[in-house]
């Protein structure tokens, strides 16, 4: 059954028809050049193509195959990214006034969902991964302390980290079960874990989470914004999630994205031993090249990720050197550069690295500062914190005051400053460093000013 691709097949069956319907490019006819070939599959809810918001045909079958592939009771295709999955997961399980626990390394979409839901949030300090200095999950002992404070509706984890590191999520889930808290997991970077259990980490689905959101487009061959939401074991506490998916997702979902999600599921479901061997050979070629360029390489739990650094250079400077050689990394921080490899199959070739990194004229000697996304504090933020008047204050005068805006290094989208968080001297140092790089929020950070609550 996993060899079928119902949505892809339905789109193929529609080829050759004349468009007297939306979208306005008319099967690509009004679009120039090579895009026409792709856009003749950019269709809408026509006869035979089903409806994402009331699936009865090809989309229903594709989602049933998805659930079978990931061994879940229900799985949903998302056309608005893991962002909409996180929103629906939280809004569908939490009500105004509930208290939730969140790992401090969560994505901004989780924080937006908490704001929309009107819940109180306890943000737990994250573990610091010793090799890279990056944030990585929470300790089960700290989680237990927080769960003992008051009734907790749900605990929201990020697993694995953006950099590919795991933590003891199994113990954390066991602890949550003791206190009756739902376990919600943003597993954006784990859609490919299903490919081969012998080399990839165990998914939160298998570890017993209640809801798991995955970005298929990050590590599988799906179009950007293509994601999955999985419910391993259906229960009444999750009944509102499908309703929120209908509310939050576009009423005109992209059939290109859905078809790519159908293909991505087929791709991972049919991954075999020979494919794994091809992937490992490709990965080894890149490791050899990285070491030949005299880079320090860190290999996280997920073999799809490689982290590199060069003594005396910031990660941002090293990223620029990669790009000058024609290689575009996933991201850089003040110390590291993250590379995301492709999950190739045996029949595929990914171009091996042939261009050497050029060090001529590069100024070395820079120290390696702390990673800008790691703030080692546990904080509590009340839902009402976001409704007070605000003003902009010079950074040096904000210590001890409460932030009224998020400041987010992007990528990876993990806020450095949260709305409702008390500003510390450590925040100030990191914000000053961050403002020379790409970030979201921080409306007047370029002027050394931050929005705070009166």
């Amino acid at each position: 059954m996993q060899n079928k691709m119902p949505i892809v097949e339905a789109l193929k069956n529609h080829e050759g028809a004349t468009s007297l319907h939306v979208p306005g490019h008319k099967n690509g006819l009004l679009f120039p050049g090579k895009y026409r070939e792709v856009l003749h599959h950019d269709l809408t809810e026509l006869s035979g193509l089903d409806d994402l918001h009331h699936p009865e045909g090809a989309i229903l079958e594709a989602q049933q195959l998805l659930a079978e592939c990931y061994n879940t009771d229900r799985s949903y295709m998302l056309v608005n990214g893991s962002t909409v999955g996180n929103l629906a997961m939280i809004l569908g399980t939490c009500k105004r006034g509930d208290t939730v626990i969140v790992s401090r390394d969560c994505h901004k979409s989780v924080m937006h969902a908490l704001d929309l839901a009107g819940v109180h949030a306890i943000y737990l300090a994250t573990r610091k991964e010793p090799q890279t200095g990056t944030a990585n999950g929470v300790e089960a002992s700290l989680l237990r302390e927080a769960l003992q404070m008051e009734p907790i509706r749900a605990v929201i984890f990020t697993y694995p980290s953006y950099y590919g590191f795991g933590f003891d999520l199994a113990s954390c889930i066991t602890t949550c079960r003791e206190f009756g808290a739902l376990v919600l997991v943003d597993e954006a970077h784990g859609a490919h874990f299903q490919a081969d259990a012998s080399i990839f980490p165990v998914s939160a689905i298998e570890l017993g989470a209640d809801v798991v959101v995955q970005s298929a487009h990050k590590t599988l061959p799906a179009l950007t914004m293509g994601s999955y939401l999985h419910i391993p074991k259906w229960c009444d506490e999750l009944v509102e999630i499908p309703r929120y998916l209908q509310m939050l997702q576009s009423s005109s979902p992209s059939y290109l994205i859905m078809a790519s999600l159908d293909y991505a599921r087929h791709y991972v479901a049919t991954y075999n031993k020979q494919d794994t061997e091809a992937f490992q050979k490709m990965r080894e070629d890149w490791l050899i090249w990285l070491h030949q360029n005299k880079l320090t390489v860190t290999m996280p739990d997920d073999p799809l990720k490689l982290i590199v650094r060069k003594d005396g250079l910031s990660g941002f400077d090293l990223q620029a050197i990669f790009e000058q050689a024609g290689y575009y990394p996933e991201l850089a921080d003040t110390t590291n550069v993250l590379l995301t490899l492709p999950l190739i199959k045996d029949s595929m070739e990914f171009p091996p690295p042939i261009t050497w990194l050029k060090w001529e004229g590069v100024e070395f000697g820079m120290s390696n500062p702390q990673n800008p996304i790691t703030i080692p504090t546990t904080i509590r933020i009340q839902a009402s914190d976001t409704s007070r008047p605000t003003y902009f204050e010079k950074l040096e005068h904000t210590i001890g005051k409460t932030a009224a805006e998020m400041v987010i290094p992007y990528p990876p989208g993990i806020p450095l400053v949260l709305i409702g968080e008390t500003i510390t001297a450590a925040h100030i140092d990191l914000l000053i460093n961050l403002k020379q790089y790409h970030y979201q929020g921080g409306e007047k950070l370029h002027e050394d000013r931050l929005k705070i609550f009166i």
Side-chain angles (χ1 to χ4, degrees), residues 98-268:
D98 282 345
T99 300
V100 301
I101 293 173
V102 193
S103 61
R104 183 59 179 80
D105 59 345
C106 68
H107 188 263
K108 65 174 186 174
S109 59
V110 170
M111 299 175 184
H112 291 157
L114 299 177
D115 192 7
L116 289 171
V119 300
H120 309 305
I122 299 172
Y123 289 93
L124 292 190
T126 53
R127 302 163 64 249
K128 181 177 288 190
E129 199 288 310
Q131 299 178 82
T132 60
T134 55
N136 180 33
V138 299
E139 296 286 357
S141 58
L142 180 61
L143 173 62
R144 178 178 292 277
E145 289 180 21
L147 285 164
Q148 291 172 335
M149 293 170 59
E150 61 186 283
I152 300 296
R153 173 59 176 167
V155 181
I156 306 162
F157 298 99
T158 301
Y159 170 90
S161 74
Y162 207 117
Y163 291 79
F165 292 102
F167 61 100
D168 192 359
L169 179 61
S171 293
C172 288
I173 291 176
T174 298
T175 303
C176 291
R177 296 293 176 231
E178 292 180 31
F179 292 85
L182 289 171
V183 177
L184 313 179
V185 181
D186 177 357
E187 193 174 88
H189 291 261
H192 62 293
F193 289 176
Q194 197 72 14
D196 190 331
S198 69
I199 66 169
F200 293 112
V202 179
S203 170
I205 295 171
E206 296 180 55
L207 294 176
D210 292 297
V211 189
V212 178
V213 175
Q214 298 174 333
S215 292
H217 70 93
K218 291 189 184 299
T219 56
L220 295 179
L223 291 179
T224 297
M225 295 176 67
S227 297
Y228 302 136
L229 184 146
H230 301 289
I231 299 178
K233 300 297 179 185
W234 181 258
C235 65
D236 290 343
E237 289 182 290
L238 310 178
V239 71
E240 287 294 296
I241 292 176
R243 184 171 74 91
Y244 275 100
L245 284 176
Q246 292 202 25
M247 291 171 58
L248 297 167
Q249 294 210 91
S250 171
S251 60
S252 300
S254 166
Y255 274 78
L256 291 177
I257 293 176
M258 289 189 287
S260 75
L261 287 171
D262 195 18
Y263 173 70
R265 182 271 313 157
H266 169 272
Y267 188 92
V268 74

